[in-house]
């Protein structure tokens, strides 16, 4: 597949107005995407668990308009008009216009809500952009004569990537690869694909408890952070390492080796933050409580032989990952020893999920 395969042929059908609702989850990367080329092409392959409970639900209402010079849309979050979301969506529309030539033919109302608190510091761009991309694909499907489910999902992921890189890994589950990797058949820089090989039962229903350490606005956005990988002194080595870690994870997924899984996942999280600390300008997104939690997870693991581990996004929150059979003990440990390091003792219990869902489609 190339970019050109996503430019549609002239549409056969015409539609006037209607609305579509999709829910789409967040995801947590095991091998991290950090650094990109132009057009949202990642510098290295990444792989993530799709989450189940952390989701965005988006309703896109559309009505045909008379003039076609400009984009016309408004955005609502939890029923409240959000004009500050408009520039990001306008940039997205510009990036995907070539692939969705109907965008200027309609007036859109985008109504969105998240299942997680929006000030939680949990990235909503992955779930938000993937939900919007899916709604737009439902319109394209209505305009087109026929479209396979495979193409629908692939193009939705391709569009979501142009909104926010990690969003292309949110459409399906439970393990998604984005970025070309020599050993992973079908992997692509253009969209996310399901991890195509058998995964050991140890990873079924893997748990992710998200500890909300700091809910404040990040000082440095992911987009700026990615940019700082250009000319970064360790960039080349880091991108190579991501390829190596992907290869190692393939063996881990096959054999169910949880000790090696822990090593790779924690190293990836710390490497991500090490890249931030060694860029110019440098920055630190972890907070003292992030480190407290990491140390307590390590102590608990030493004491109990648990297979608990942590990973981090581009922020201070900690994702605590563990196998389902440890759920009771680990939740007990989290409540007793980790919640005191969370802002207002807030946390979210999540687990591996299976991707986006169409909740409503009403075409007139
Ligand atoms: C640290 O996908 O948010 O979460 O493409 O600029 O929108 P943009 O960046 P974004 O970056 C996420 C980076 C990460 C790692 C990951 O999810 O792989």
């Amino acid at each position: 597949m190339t970019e050109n395969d996503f430019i549609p042929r002239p549409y056969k059908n015409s539609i006037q107005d209607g609305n579509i609702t999709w829910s789409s989850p967040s995801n947590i990367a095991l091998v991290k995407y950090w650094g990109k080329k132009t057009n949202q092409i990642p510098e290295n392959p990444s792989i993530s668990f799709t989450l189940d409970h952390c989701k965005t639900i988006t309703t896109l209402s559309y009505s045909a308009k008379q003039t076609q010079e400009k984009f016309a849309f408004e955005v609502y979050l939890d029923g409240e008009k959000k004009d500050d979301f408009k520039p990001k969506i306008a940039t997205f529309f510009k990036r995907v216009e070539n692939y969705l030539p109907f965008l200027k033919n309609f007036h859109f109302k985008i109504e969105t809500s998240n299942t997680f608190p929006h000030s939680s510091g949990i990235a909503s761009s992955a779930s938000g952009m993937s939900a919007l991309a899916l709604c737009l694909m439902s319109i394209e499907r209505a305009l087109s004569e026929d479209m396979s489910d495979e193409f629908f999902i692939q193009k939705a992921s391709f569009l979501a990537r142009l909104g926010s890189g990690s969003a292309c890994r949110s459409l399906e589950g439970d393990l998604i690869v984005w970025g070309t990797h020599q050993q992973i058949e079908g992997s692509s820089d253009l969209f996310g694909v399901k991890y195509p090989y058998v995964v050991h039962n140890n990873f079924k229903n893997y748990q992710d408890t998200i500890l909300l350490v700091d809910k404040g606005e990040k000082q440095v956005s992911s987009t700026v952070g990615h940019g700082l990988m250009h000319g970064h002194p360790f960039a080349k080595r880091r991108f190579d390492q991501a390829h190596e870690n992907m290869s190692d994870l393939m063996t881990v997924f096959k054999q169910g080796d949880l000790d090696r899984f822990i090593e790779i996942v924690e190293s990836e999280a710390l490497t991500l933050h090490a890249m931030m600390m060694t860029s110019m300008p440098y920055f630190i997104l972890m907070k003292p409580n992030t480190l407290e939690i990491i140390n307590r997870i390590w102590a608990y693991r030493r004491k109990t032989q648990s297979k608990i581990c942590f990973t981090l996004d581009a922020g201070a929150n900690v994702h605590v990952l563990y196998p389902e059979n440890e759920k009771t003990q680990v939740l007990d440990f989290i409540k007793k020893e980790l919640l005191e390091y969370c802002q207002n003792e807030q946390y979210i219990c999540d687990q591996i999920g299976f991707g986006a869902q169409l909740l409503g489609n009403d075409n007139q």
Side-chain angles (χ1 to χ4, degrees):
M1 289 297 258
T2 69
E3 268 110 336
N4 288 341
D5 295 319
F6 294 110
I7 299 175
R9 274 177 271 145
Y11 297 126
K12 289 277 175 8
N13 304 333
S14 97
I15 52 174
Q16 281 306 307
D17 52 71
N19 59 73
I20 295 144
T21 304
W22 277 92
S23 88
S24 190
S26 190
N27 67 74
I28 180 67
L30 305 170
V31 172
K32 307 290 180 182
Y33 148 57
W34 198 245
K36 59 179 161 183
K37 304 173 197 166
T38 43
N39 296 331
Q40 298 280 101
I41 297 299
E43 289 278 12
N44 63 261
S46 57
I47 187 165
S48 51
F49 279 150
T50 305
L51 296 183
D52 195 27
H53 305 320
C54 290
K55 292 184 216 168
T56 296
I57 295 138
T58 297
T59 298
L60 183 68
S61 309
Y62 55 93
S63 53
K65 62 181 172 69
Q66 297 303 321
T67 56
Q68 271 117 51
E69 293 106 59
K70 282 196 276 188
F71 299 125
F73 64 94
E74 70 238 17
V75 197
Y76 294 81
L77 174 66
D78 297 330
E80 239 177 74
K81 204 158 186 234
K82 280 277 176 191
D83 285 340
D84 47 330
F85 284 14
K86 288 185 85 171
K88 192 158 188 194
I89 290 170
T91 306
F92 172 60
F93 277 6
K94 262 182 237 134
R95 280 191 198 151
V96 299
E97 192 184 2
N98 207 11
Y99 307 104
L100 297 174
F102 63 82
L103 280 181
K104 284 184 177 153
N105 300 357
F106 294 96
H107 179 276
F108 297 106
K109 183 178 180 193
I110 303 164
E111 291 169 283
T112 188
S113 63
N114 298 321
T115 57
F116 45 90
H118 51 261
S119 60
S120 61
I122 296 185
S124 55
S125 64
S127 51
M129 280 299 174
S130 53
L132 181 57
L134 284 158
C135 290
L136 292 169
M137 277 311 291
S138 290
I139 297 181
E140 174 150 280
R141 182 169 243 176
L143 290 165
S144 311
E145 206 163 33
D146 60 299
M147 185 187 289
S148 71
D149 289 344
E150 192 193 353
F151 180 82
F152 180 94
I153 273 295
Q154 217 165 60
K155 183 163 174 183
S157 176
F158 171 86
L159 298 171
R161 185 197 99 239
L162 291 168
S164 179
S166 56
C168 78
R169 298 188 312 237
S170 271
L171 291 85
E172 298 177 282
D174 47 353
L175 258 181
I176 304 292
V177 177
W178 168 40
T180 309
H181 186 273
Q182 222 189 349
Q183 287 163 277
I184 302 180
E185 229 181 296
S187 59
S188 169
D189 284 346
L190 298 180
F191 45 78
V193 297
K194 279 193 197 181
Y195 180 71
Y197 308 110
V198 175
V199 175
H200 194 281
N201 271 337
N202 282 352
F203 297 102
K204 292 278 171 296
N205 297 329
Y206 225 72
Q207 304 290 303
D208 179 3
T209 301
I210 309 163
L211 305 180
L212 305 179
V213 172
D214 186 66
K215 303 192 291 168
E217 187 83 358
K218 279 190 277 184
Q219 308 117 297
V220 182
S221 73
S222 290
T223 305
V224 171
H226 287 291
L228 294 173
M229 288 304 281
H230 292 294
H232 190 292
F234 308 134
K236 167 90 180 55
R237 185 65 199 98
R238 157 60 197 155
F239 302 145
D240 289 346
Q241 179 202 36
H243 283 266
E244 293 153 18
N245 282 342
M246 287 286 277
S247 301
D248 285 357
L249 265 187
M250 291 175 73
T251 313
V252 164
F253 287 137
K254 195 169 167 189
Q255 297 175 345
D257 182 347
L258 290 172
D259 293 322
R260 185 72 188 123
F261 177 77
I262 291 170
E263 272 176 6
I264 296 167
V265 167
E266 292 191 344
S267 165
E268 274 288 324
L270 294 178
T271 301
L272 169 70
H273 284 258
M275 290 300 113
M276 299 173 190
M277 289 189 233
T278 49
S279 61
M280 191 57 77
Y282 41 81
F283 58 104
I284 301 179
L285 295 184
M286 289 188 284
K287 298 283 179 198
N289 283 348
T290 311
L291 295 178
E292 272 299 338
I293 290 169
I294 291 174
N295 278 312
R296 283 177 178 260
I297 288 172
W298 285 343
Y300 177 77
R301 202 160 68 211
R302 271 197 305 272
K303 201 169 74 192
T304 63
Q305 316 302 312
S306 161
K307 303 299 182 195
I308 188 175
C309 72
F310 71 86
T311 188
L312 307 165
D313 258 344
N317 296 333
V318 182
H319 288 249
V320 186
L321 303 179
Y322 48 97
E324 192 187 25
N325 63 10
E326 290 192 34
K327 197 169 166 177
T328 315
Q329 305 89 293
V330 170
L331 275 178
D332 201 42
F333 158 66
I334 288 174
K335 284 180 196 154
K336 283 201 184 111
E337 289 198 44
L338 303 185
L339 286 195
E340 60 188 284
Y341 301 105
C342 299
Q343 207 167 346
N344 306 324
E345 305 209 332
Q346 281 197 72
Y347 68 106
I348 297 170
C349 285
D350 212 334
Q351 60 180 13
I352 285 192
F354 295 91
Q357 280 176 308
L358 179 64
L359 301 181
N361 191 352
D362 191 5
N363 276 324
Q364 260 97 55

